[in-house]
Amino acid sequence: MIGICGNEKNSDALVTVDLNCNGIEVEVESKLKKMFGKLMEKAVREVLEEEKVENAKVKVQDFGALDFVIKGRTRTALHRAQQGDDK
């Protein structure tokens, strides 16, 4: 199942979570990836760990979001994927 949350607007991120995979995979697309990519990935992995998720592919399309925005978008996309709601 797939869940999506966020917008393609400044200071936001579009996060897609796919639970149909093995292991954890995090993909970050951002103009600031060289500077903040590892921190963005860390934010996603923290949410997955808190939610006890062991299998997920997460794609983050960043448009200047802060870490708490990425965490919130990840958490919501994850819950939508778990419920089978891709809105």
Side-chain angles (χ1 to χ4, degrees):
M1 291 186 265
I2 296 176
I4 301 170
C5 184
N7 296 294
E8 295 181 5
K9 295 182 179 180
N10 288 339
S11 302
D12 205 346
L14 182 62
V15 178
T16 305
V17 175
D18 183 356
L19 298 177
N20 299 321
C21 65
N22 292 321
I24 300 293
E25 181 181 339
V26 179
E27 178 185 345
V28 176
E29 292 180 3
S30 175
K31 292 179 181 179
L32 303 173
K33 185 175 180 177
K34 287 185 180 182
M35 291 174 41
F36 300 111
K38 293 205 184 289
L39 292 173
M40 291 179 213
E41 183 175 339
K42 181 181 177 202
V44 170
R45 289 184 182 274
E46 286 176 0
V47 171
L48 297 176
E49 186 176 312
E50 289 170 10
E51 297 289 334
K52 297 177 178 37
V53 174
E54 296 178 1
N55 298 302
K57 178 179 180 180
V58 182
K59 181 177 181 180
V60 178
Q61 294 171 280
D62 173 60
F63 301 95
L66 297 174
D67 64 335
F68 70 89
V69 174
I70 293 172
K71 284 183 174 184
R73 297 298 190 200
T74 301
R75 192 176 315 276
T76 301
L78 175 61
H79 290 169
R80 289 178 178 174
Q82 290 170 332
Q83 296 170 0
D85 180 10
D86 59 354
K87 292 183 181 179

